[in-house]
């Protein structure tokens, strides 16, 4: 019999001979065997060969864009490739930029509540918006001076939207004409965004041109009685077109491709006026009508025969009123934080507007923008009651990062985000999303 004796007395002898009783055979425990996998050895080439997958560095535009996995990464590329003034015009907001920061934080301060054990092998992101199908629940928002951000401008945006099967909205302050955008994307769903001017004849001319060019939806923006205080533009001395000063020339030395494209393409022209030279704020204040009322919305409803949506809704009461005055849809928007700082956050307003429309038995579309930087943001908005969302900065970052290919990449990123988020929530199609899938933290 073999026996090992352990002592609990710290002063007791520790050797087997000292601790074992007389006549007892003692054996020492054997060290455990070391698995072959844990023994060190000189690596063989056959083991190393599969690991050595060195690739030649790629510096092409396609490679650069493919490395971007998020809209934020596209923004980083855009910032490196775009002069400060046009980049800040896109990236910035009004005054202290509190509204924009809060809008983005609103999407961060949510908790998704997924369902498990669902068959999510097939995800359908298609939806109907204002009577027509859209392959994705997102469209491109109207943005002014778009060819200033990158020379392909509205042409890249409209063609990317056409390829993705989503709506594209041309701004009154866009840098391509209504007719040229229609020609560039003849099979796309083109919308036109209108700022009502004090000169109603000029507004009527634009409306008629939009109708003749096949635009099926008119988007009237109503949150611009005057221009917001966009302080980045003031500090940068932002003008339309960008002025060649010592400061801009020095800035251009780091971004020669932008200036080469800008100077070798057609000068900036606008959807609504042939040429303008001056500051952004002066242009806006010369065009916007501070006397705009609901009676003007009635005039628009009588004049425009297609779908009419109103952009810039920031209260439940105003959402109801514009529907009463004939709007087919409302866009909950604070102009990307570019007008009134500390304005209401559209994502926070969304559930209240949805509840009000449900009580009113209204079928008016609820569209949302401001702060969207991922497909998960879009899915959260749809779960809380939005029918559709718009993206502005998110697609412009792609445009500045790589022209048309950059816009395509931005839409690819958002689509992939949405598909993954839907699958992880346990839903197959957008109609299955409910407010139960999202909880706003702190409420």
């Amino acid at each position: 019999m073999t026996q090992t004796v352990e002592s609990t007395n710290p002063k007791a002898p520790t050797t087997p001979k000292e601790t074992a009783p007389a006549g007892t055979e003692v054996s020492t425990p054997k060290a455990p065997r070391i698995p072959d996998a844990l023994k060190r050895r000189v690596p063989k080439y056959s083991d190393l060969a599969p690991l050595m997958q060195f690739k030649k560095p790629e510096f092409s535009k396609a490679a650069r864009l493919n490395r971007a996995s998020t809209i934020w990464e596209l923004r980083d590329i855009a910032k490196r490739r775009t002069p400060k003034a046009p980049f800040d015009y896109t990236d910035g907001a009004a005054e202290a930029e509190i509204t924009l920061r809060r809008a983005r934080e609103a999407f961060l301060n949510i908790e998704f509540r997924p369902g498990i054990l669902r068959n999510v092998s097939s995800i359908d992101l298609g939806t109907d918006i204002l009577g027509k199908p859209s392959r994705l629940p997102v469209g491109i928002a109207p943005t002014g001076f778009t060819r200033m951000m990158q020379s392909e401008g509205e042409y890249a945006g409209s063609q990317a939207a056409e390829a993705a099967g989503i709506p594209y909205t041309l701004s009154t302050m866009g840098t391509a004409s209504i007719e040229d955008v229609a020609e560039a994307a003849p099979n796309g769903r083109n919308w036109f965004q209108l700022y009502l001017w004090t000169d109603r004849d000029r507004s009527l001319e634009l409306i008629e041109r939009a109708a003749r060019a096949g635009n099926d939806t008119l988007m009237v923006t109503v949150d611009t009685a005057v221009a917001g205080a966009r302080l980045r533009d003031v500090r940068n001395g932002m003008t339309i077109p960008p002025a060649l000063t010592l400061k801009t020339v020095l800035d251009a030395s780091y971004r020669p491709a932008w200036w080469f494209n800008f100077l070798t393409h057609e000068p900036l022209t606008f959807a609504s006026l042939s040429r303008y030279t001056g500051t952004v704020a002066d242009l806006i204040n010369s065009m916007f009508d501070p006397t705009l009322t609901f009676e003007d919305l009635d005039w628009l409803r009588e004049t425009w025969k297609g779908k009419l949506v109103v952009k810039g809704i920031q209260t439940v009461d105003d959402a109801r009123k514009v529907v009463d005055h004939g709007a087919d849809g409302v866009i909950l928007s604070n102009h990307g934080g570019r007008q009134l700082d500390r304005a209401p956050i559209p994502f926070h307003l969304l559930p209240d507007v949805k509840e009000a429309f449900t009580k009113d038995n209204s079928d008016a579309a609820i569209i949302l923008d401001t702060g969207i930087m991922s497909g998960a943001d879009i899915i959260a908005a749809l779960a809380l009651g939005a029918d559709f969302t718009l993206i502005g900065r998110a697609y412009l970052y792609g445009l500045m990062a790589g022209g048309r290919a950059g816009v395509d990449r931005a839409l690819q990123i958002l689509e992939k985000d949405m598909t993954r988020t839907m699958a992880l929530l346990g839903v197959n199609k957008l109609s299955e999303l409910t407010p139960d899938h999202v909880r706003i933290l702190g409420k």
Side-chain angles (χ1 to χ4, degrees), residues 195-207 289 291-293 296 299:
Y195 290 113
L196 271 176
W197 297 354
T198 49
D199 184 345
R200 288 293 183 265
D201 290 338
R202 298 283 299 276
S203 296
L204 182 59
E205 178 188 351
L206 286 176
I207 292 170
D289 184 358
T291 69
L292 193 64
T293 68
D296 297 288
W299 174 80

Side-chain angles (χ1 to χ4, degrees), residues 66 173 228 279 302 307-308 341 367-368 372 394 414 425 442:
N66 285 335
M173 300 174 74
T279 68
E302 292 175 5
K307 297 293 184 180
L308 177 66
D341 209 8
I367 304 171
L368 179 140
I372 293 172
L414 293 175
L425 284 175

